[in-house]
Amino acid sequence: MARRLAITVRGIVQGVGFRPFVHNAATSAGLSGWVVNQSDCVHIEVEGPDEAVTCFLDRLRNEHPPQATINQLDAVSIPCVDAPTPAEPAFAIRSSTAGAAHRPTLPPDLATCSACLHEIKSASERRYAYPFTNCTNCGPRWSIITGLPYDRPRTSMDSFEMCSECRDEYDSPLDRRFHAQPIACPHCGPSLQLLELTGVTRAEGKEALQAAAVAVRAGAIVAIKGLGGFQLIADATSQRAVQRLRRRKQRPRKPLAVMLPDMQAVDACCHLSRFEQTQLTSPQAPILLLKRRQGVHGSVLIADSVAPANPYLGVMLPNTPLHTLLVTEIKRPIICTSGNRAEEPMAIDTSEACTRLAGIADLILTHNREIVRPVDDSVCRADDGTLQILRRARGYAPVPVPLAGPAPSILAVGSHLKNTVALSIGADVVVGAHVGDLDNTLSLDVHRRAISDLVNFFDVQPEAIACDLHPDYASTQHAERLAHSWNVPLFRIQHHHAHVLSAIAEHSLKGPVLGFAWDGTGYGPDGTIWGSEALSIDGPQWQRVAHLRTFPLPGGDQAAREPRRSALGLLYEYLGAESTGIASGWFTDSELSTLLAALQRQQLFPRTSSMGRLFDAIAALCGATETVSFEGEAAMGLEYLADEAETAAYSIPLSDSLPAVGDCQGLVQAVIDDRARGVPIARISARFHNALADLALQVACRVGCPQVVLTGGCFQNRLLTRRARACLSEAGFEVYTQRSVPAGDGGISLGQVLGAVYQVGE
Ligand code: ZN
Ligand code: ZN
Ligand code: FE
């Protein structure tokens, strides 16, 4: 009995060799029909004997390509059309049709697969040492696609005409490159160029790569056009090269990521679990934060200045053939960091790189495949056998985060720091790649382009826009303009509310949730700066149920860079002006008297309940009083110092009011006393961390809600997260932390989407 089925497959099914797989499965089963990419799905019709059709469906479900994810598969019987000619069934891959609403059905950029790696290392292969080798299982996707459905004319490979050999591979159903859209070879594909910053060509092709490697070995800083933007590379074993890079990039101490040639090299510098190995070699190939081995180890010596005073090292393996070839040529670990100055965005085109990286890079290794949108390297870490994404970009964006059910289309513009933007489409939220801090016009430009890119790419007209409650954020002001010009409502979602909603969205939590959003800064509706929030949330309803007692922040935003200011404010609040003598070593006499005079005038300085600033203040009381070079540096230092064996805790009593207020007076006094008694800082730090875990437990017991969420930048602190999770789980609470989106402000856009979804529904 012959049968014909119309099949619709949704999920990540484009750009992963799905149609070739369907073609092969249908052909080998002797079926006729066709397959086509549509904007929102892959559509298949097959016809043939009953058993063969059933067998085909089974293979579709169970044997699809490794990078594909099937979220939905619908099959309906339709009347047969082909005359059954089993001798020569015709199964065709039809050209893609646009038209239907766009859905997130494409994969992110994928690291080089093992088959392609083998080819670039084998002298007999025609792609030997070719930096742009890829196939249906690997290579650029999101960074080169200009539109849907995913096909070569809608990628930046459009300008390269395939040679006859590549064309044969592309057309051959048995080839690994059957319908591999970015297919390329040395004859027809992109090629390398080594430029001076003036734009003058130094070398081309293989010579360009070799000359770049020689320069790096000699201590130069080379900008390379990576997968999703320019990166800066330098010899990671050379203290001088690293220092030079830091000076030029204006990045004094923030840790830099290293790229190591292989797992053996990683193992030589860092402790590494099975799980962590799997992540490093995954198609996402993120930067993974690994615990460094102590002391001198093997032949791999990473300069101290790569990650000063940090027990962790951000490590990645080469993720494109270009990186593999370069690392092989350099024969040393290299620094591989975003191609930018300080907090500016990454450059993505060559002329921009020549201008913006002048004064930073000595040479530019570039190529002629255009990058369509910036996609930075992702940063992750493993925690208790799960992956936690800290910066979400290459390999993860634009994989959608599924919501609990279909939602109106919302555009969320994200937070001011570590910005991401998000767009809901059906029951999915696409969170765009990490944009960065919106402190300069270049970043704002990237932010605005990221918004128009998402909206245009998925061809969605948002029904509403979500932004932060802070009226002065550039993102808020842009959202106001967009809402006006699109004539759609604007919803302002409080920062910490958005943090908790982000975790609720990520875990599809239903019913009441107690959320702890502990971070540096967020605009509170009461005129104070929030940051140690416990929020009780049930769907659209939310209430602030606990926070720390506020303290003045001398100098406002300046305090984020100067922990001593937070410490002075904390001392003044809790122990009064007479206690501030402790601060005399931190400021000059005139600075201190000016600040104290200002503190006496109420309301001159903003007041905050920020947990991040409390961390800074305690770090300063423990001696870390110098200016920090990035937010959270002092807090990180405090975390790394902690003696994990210490079980004692300071106490933070809670008031009976609603919201309950945590009082740090005893804590501050105890830290000062312990310091005076010579208690090691490692133990003081641990007691402080333990106090915060206890505080979370006290609040949770008071509220009595079984589902508890831990989010906000402070929960990137591994010790705090572990201690709080342990306390809460032991007491019977279900504890959720963020995994697939960052707990820091990179996760805010997802939470804003959910916040607006609730309000649209009201
Ligand atoms: Zn491949
Ligand atoms: Zn070719
Ligand atoms: Fe935050």
Side-chain angles (χ1 to χ4, degrees), residues 107-111 139-144 227-228 283-284 375 393-398:
D109 301 292
L110 305 166
R141 299 287 188 272
W142 183 229
S143 59
I144 60 161
L227 193 86
Q284 289 77 26
V375 187
R394 178 178 54 75
Y396 303 100

Side-chain angles (χ1 to χ4, degrees), residues 385-403:
T386 53
L387 191 72
Q388 217 177 348
I389 301 180
L390 305 176
R391 179 168 84 190
R392 192 176 183 273
R394 178 178 54 75
Y396 303 100
V399 177
V401 179
L403 290 175

